[in-house]
Amino acid sequence: MLYKGGNTEIVDVDEKGTVVFYASVFGNKDSYGDIVMPGAFSKTIAENGKNIKHYKNHDGRQMPGVIVELEEDAKG
């Protein structure tokens, strides 16, 4: 299995510990030459968003939190 890292960008952390972040930002080339383009996540979010988990370093034993809301905007 091949794992690729993304460019995570933290936007905000509130007093309750809720983190708002971009899991991937559009237009950046990764170390494999792949570029994530707008619309890349919209179908997955619409069809399976409730099943997506956020793991630290792709390790299923390390889930730093629970996803409350998922959306794609013009940035990522």
Side-chain angles (χ1 to χ4, degrees):
M1 186 172 285
L2 177 65
Y3 293 107
K4 297 180 180 183
N7 293 326
T8 302
E9 180 182 317
I10 295 175
V11 176
D12 187 32
V13 180
D14 72 13
E15 66 281 348
K16 295 179 185 177
T18 301
V19 180
V20 177
F21 69 97
Y22 285 94
S24 181
V25 178
F26 299 134
N28 291 322
K29 186 183 291 189
D30 68 14
S31 60
Y32 294 90
D34 294 330
I35 300 173
V36 178
M37 300 302 291
F41 306 113
S42 57
K43 183 175 187 251
T44 299
I45 290 171
E47 294 177 1
N48 296 302
K50 65 184 177 298
N51 297 319
I52 295 174
K53 308 287 187 262
H54 176 68
Y55 297 123
K56 181 178 180 183
N57 299 322
H58 298 278
D59 184 342
R61 299 167 295 174
Q62 298 184 51
M63 191 179 331
V66 177
I67 296 174
V68 177
E69 184 179 334
L70 266 174
E71 65 183 62
E72 180 179 309
D73 65 15
K75 185 173 180 174

